[in-house]
Amino acid sequence: MEQQRRAVVVGAGIGGLTAAVALHRRGWQVTVLERAAGLAPVGAGIGLAPNAQRALDAVGLGDRVRALSAWQGDGGMRTPGGRWLARTDAKAAAARFGGPLVLLHRATLVEILTSALPEGVVRTGAAATVTDFGDDDRPARVTVADTGTGTRGELEAELVLGADGIHSATRRALFPGHPGPRYSGTTTWRVVVPAPARPFAPHETWGAGRLWGSQPLKDGRVYAYAMAVAPAGAHAPDDEKAELLRLFGDWHHPVPEILAGVAPDRILRHDVHHLPDPLPAFHRGRVALLGDAAHAMMPSLGQGGNQAIEDAVVLAHHAGTAPGFQPGRALAAYTADRLPRTTAIVRRAARTGALTMLSARPAVVLRDTAVSAVSRFGPGLALRGFDGICDWRPPVDPVPRSGHDPSRVS
Ligand SMILES: Cc1cc2nc3c(=O)[nH]c(=O)nc-3n(C[C@H](O)[C@H](O)[C@H](O)COP(=O)(O)OP(=O)(O)OC[C@H]3O[C@@H](n4cnc5c(N)ncnc54)[C@H](O)[C@@H]3O)c2cc1C
């Protein structure tokens, strides 16, 4: 009888964990190596569009995610003074893309993913380095350093996934000539706070070189995010709450109320880097990249994590059931499926990001007028920007497993 094959996943972010679940379901023996001491995820929300939900349906987790998420209601885009530029119609969006956009806390998503894995699959405090890419005849090798004790070990695997995020060392090892991530010129803040007393509709508000979004979570809290043009590595001279008050304190409700409820030490600030230059491939030997390691994008379409989830499911589809795995063929098929799609989305996200971050007054007036005009033709025109993204369907296995139809969001 053939031995169970081993897959090593470097990085326990959303992409790595989804890949681990997808491979485990196909009979792989999976080990996830996470450098951080624990799986304490970023204190922020994440929006999952129907494309990622269909991928999660394919690994049996879509219903659980939807049950623990807030389904996005009607809202829209506003100006800092509160004028509506465009209204979004949740029903029209769901009808167009085959399901709702849902929003949940990242910790909830990580919990759902880890609970679908057997005990011991995820090893935290384990920094991994890929030392041999392997090939069709030779396994790949990964060195693991225990960040607590400093001890080192080595693992051999039939498949290694570099899911180690935007600053991926696996990507650098696979493609040393690639220029790597570039600063987008923008920084972001994220908070999760109790909902303000006065109700509000979900919104994204575009100012001059600044943006704010407020989205309710299912548990009564609110996930809010902000973005602004800033030099790389900048930080507030005092604290990030004071900086947010300076930038957004006079914006429309609920922004000031949300800010009033924020503890300065609960604000996450991250500069946004992305990969505007596509990689030549998403694999080499027996090693494949996924998620931000492969195609980091600006958050303007809310698709970075969604694409990582898609990657994971497509990769597991091509890896197949463990005994039949042929790395050269399987990973070339993975690259062929994923590289063109994600390259196009990285570019679209950069274009949208540039539009949201326009700073010059005449350009902002022109942009707002155009958004407003487009919305007057109905939600269809605005939603068209997500055609080809949110309507994605996962690949269907030649022999359906467990009677599930992965083409539908349940
Ligand atoms: C403000 C903002 C809002 C966003 N909103 C959304 C949204 O609404 N929807 C959406 O889909 N996306 C969103 N994104 C993008 C999304 O957060 C990312 O695309 C996604 O988290 C990438 O997941 P990942 O698993 O590829 O990488 P990561 O989440 O970065 O995980 C990588 C993991 O690898 C670990 N690691 C790194 N090196 C090693 C090593 N050598 N050994 C072991 N472990 C290692 C890291 O510790 C980390 O845990 C947003 C991003 C930002 C900045």
Side-chain angles (χ1 to χ4, degrees), residues 19-273:
V21 172
L23 288 168
H24 167 67
R25 283 172 59 93
R26 287 173 184 271
W28 287 77
Q29 184 201 334
V30 187
T31 302
V32 182
L33 302 170
E34 168 55 49
R35 181 172 60 185
L39 287 187
V42 171
I46 183 160
L48 296 178
N51 51 315
Q53 290 176 56
R54 277 188 280 266
L56 290 165
D57 283 331
V59 294
L61 298 178
D63 285 341
R64 182 114 192 270
V65 164
R66 281 183 290 276
L68 295 174
S69 299
W71 294 31
Q72 195 179 46
D74 296 343
M77 289 169 54
R78 307 180 76 168
T79 63
R83 182 167 62 88
W84 288 97
L85 287 173
R87 294 281 193 164
T88 50
D89 178 338
K91 272 208 188 98
R96 191 176 189 99
F97 300 123
L101 175 83
V102 302
L103 190 92
L104 74 170
H105 199 287
R106 283 176 187 248
T108 310
L109 181 57
V110 166
E111 160 63 22
I112 292 170
L113 292 168
T114 47
S115 64
L117 291 168
E119 194 84 12
V121 163
V122 182
R123 280 175 58 187
T124 53
T129 310
V130 180
T131 49
D132 186 343
F133 311 135
D135 60 26
D136 272 353
D137 306 316
R138 195 178 79 247
R141 284 173 180 276
V142 177
T143 301
V144 192
D146 185 311
T147 54
T149 61
T151 53
R152 298 173 87 81
E154 195 170 67
L155 292 174
E156 266 189 11
E158 274 68 39
L159 173 63
V160 173
L161 303 185
D164 46 350
I166 175 124
H167 300 293
S168 167
T170 311
R171 178 183 62 234
R172 282 199 302 277
L174 258 60
F175 303 107
H178 184 267
R182 203 182 300 162
Y183 181 51
S184 68
T186 57
T187 195
T188 60
W189 296 265
R190 286 175 283 180
V191 293
V192 174
V193 291
R198 264 200 300 148
F200 68 93
H203 69 99
E204 191 166 285
T205 298
W206 292 7
R210 291 171 217 179
L211 165 164
W212 181 286
S214 314
Q215 308 283 342
L217 293 169
K218 189 165 186 181
D219 62 8
R221 291 182 296 171
V222 169
Y223 164 52
Y225 55 91
M227 192 180 218
V229 174
H235 280 286
D238 31 23
D239 66 56
E240 297 302 337
K241 178 166 177 169
E243 182 76 352
L244 286 173
L245 282 166
R246 278 190 291 273
L247 293 171
F248 302 99
D250 61 352
W251 285 29
H252 65 80
H253 175 72
V255 181
E257 237 183 285
I258 287 176
L259 280 173
V262 174
D265 62 346
R266 304 309 293 263
I267 299 172
L268 301 167
R269 177 171 178 169
H270 291 103
D271 283 356
V272 177
H273 294 81

